[in-house]
Amino acid sequence: MTTSVITGATAGIGAAFARRLAGEGHELVLVARDTKRLEEHAQELRQRYGVQVQVLTADLSTDEGIAAVESRLADRAKPVDVLVNNAGFGNRGTFLNVPVDDELTMLKVHCEAVLRLTYAATAAMRERGRGFVINVASVAAFLPRGTYAASKAWVVRFTQGASRELAGSGVRLMALCPGFVRTEFHQRAGMDASGIPDWAWLDVDKVVAAAIRDLACGRVVSVPDLRYKAVVGLAKLTPSALFARVSTKAGRRFGPR
Ligand SMILES: NC(=O)c1ccc[n+]([C@@H]2O[C@H](COP(=O)([O-])OP(=O)(O)OC[C@H]3O[C@@H](n4cnc5c(N)ncnc54)[C@H](OP(=O)(O)O)[C@@H]3O)[C@@H](O)[C@H]2O)c1
């Protein structure tokens, strides 16, 4: 039986990973802060897909929360085959308008938790000679914009580096870089997403389907959808000062992603 641990599994992209992996018969461990919501989601998945689903309440912005998930990942008696590091959030506002503590919390969830959970998971996976880690980054990783983009750029580079260093071990890592996805993300951050054009939105289940396809193909970085592959290609070719001007303007209108 395959066991998958998904962080941020109660909403948006994490919930879509949970549905998809449950549909493929995986046993699940769902991680988030809201226990009631976790239990409800777990029950729904058990009933719909007939798989075992555990809930693990943990706040990944705290050492205790990260440690609780680390110890589940390190439990050799209950091996984990797939880890999806997905939990994340946005802060509304530009640099100096966001309290520095909120920026540090973001780095804790997006970087420290991802590092420590990947470490715990891959150490156990390497002993068994198999396993997968999907780290959810963002197209923002390729844009010169604020702490959110910088944290996601770290996720991409970290995943690429760890993937190279674990090559041949049977353990594979992939960074997933979606563009705008309809989830609770923007609303939770208090961002006004009404100006984002319809064509720019991605469907959450299609994002997850693209991620699973790209993982199967052995990609280390997955950018779902041609529209966003073009954005990333353009970002790589355009001088960063010019791209910074354009993307900062867009960021002020639509908020970070
Ligand atoms: N939506 C987009 O446009 C978009 C685009 C690119 C990348 N992403 C990335 O995709 C990932 C998922 O975002 P989403 O759009 O699905 O957001 P979402 O709908 O707001 O869901 C976020 C999930 O993360 C959990 N979470 C948040 N903070 C947490 C913490 N401190 N500890 C544990 N769990 C926490 C939330 O549950 P609780 O509140 O119960 O903890 C929830 O389950 C994030 O990493 C985000 O940066 C999103």
Side-chain angles (χ1 to χ4, degrees):
M1 184 56 72
T2 305
T3 300
S4 297
V5 173
I6 304 164
T7 72
T10 49
I13 297 172
F17 266 110
R19 288 192 297 274
R20 170 69 192 242
L21 295 175
E24 291 181 3
H26 292 218
E27 292 186 356
L28 301 179
V29 181
L30 308 181
V31 180
R33 291 166 299 184
D34 184 336
T35 307
K36 183 167 175 284
R37 207 169 165 189
L38 276 169
E39 293 287 4
E40 285 167 2
H41 191 43
Q43 189 54 21
E44 203 179 301
L45 293 167
R46 286 182 202 113
Q47 280 170 355
R48 188 158 167 200
Y49 300 104
V51 294
Q52 284 193 33
V53 185
Q54 296 176 341
V55 306
L56 175 46
T57 305
D59 181 348
L60 296 174
S61 70
T62 67
D63 283 325
E64 305 71 45
I66 298 172
V69 187
E70 276 176 322
S71 71
R72 177 61 188 84
L73 292 166
D75 186 346
R76 297 326 193 242
K78 294 187 213 156
V80 171
D81 304 281
V82 180
L83 167 65
V84 184
N85 276 313
N86 161 79
F89 64 97
N91 284 327
R92 182 165 170 264
T94 50
F95 191 57
L96 295 186
N97 291 320
V98 177
V100 74
D101 283 349
D102 293 354
E103 300 283 67
L104 286 168
T105 301
M106 177 175 279
L107 295 183
K108 186 104 181 171
V109 177
H110 289 184
C111 302
E112 183 177 333
V114 169
L115 167 65
R116 287 172 54 181
L117 301 190
T118 301
Y119 196 101
T122 55
M125 289 171 180
R126 188 170 60 175
E127 288 168 15
R128 300 170 64 224
R130 64 176 192 276
F132 299 99
V133 177
I134 297 175
N135 290 329
V136 180
S138 168
V139 153
F142 304 97
L143 309 176
R145 272 199 23 219
T147 305
Y148 180 83
S151 71
K152 295 302 188 179
W154 179 88
V155 173
V156 172
R157 287 303 195 194
F158 162 69
T159 305
Q160 288 174 313
S163 165
R164 198 168 309 117
E165 286 163 20
L166 287 171
S169 68
V171 181
R172 293 215 285 105
L173 292 89
M174 185 181 82
L176 171 63
C177 302
F180 289 117
V181 191
R182 289 197 196 278
T183 66
E184 297 174 12
F185 179 93
H186 297 89
Q187 188 196 349
R188 280 173 184 250
M191 295 167 189
D192 177 11
S194 60
I196 301 171
D198 273 352
W199 62 261
W201 288 104
L202 300 175
D203 173 77
V204 72
D205 292 314
K206 288 186 181 160
V207 166
V208 169
I212 303 285
R213 270 198 309 275
D214 283 346
L215 189 68
C217 292
R219 285 197 209 292
V220 177
V221 177
S222 167
V223 180
D225 198 90
L226 272 177
R227 287 163 279 184
Y228 285 101
K229 288 188 204 312
V231 170
V232 171
L234 201 63
K236 285 180 180 162
L237 292 174
T238 310
S240 63
L242 176 62
F243 217 92
R245 273 207 301 280
V246 175
S247 71
T248 300
K249 265 190 195 159
R252 293 229 164 88
R253 279 174 63 201
F254 305 135
R257 48 191 186 278

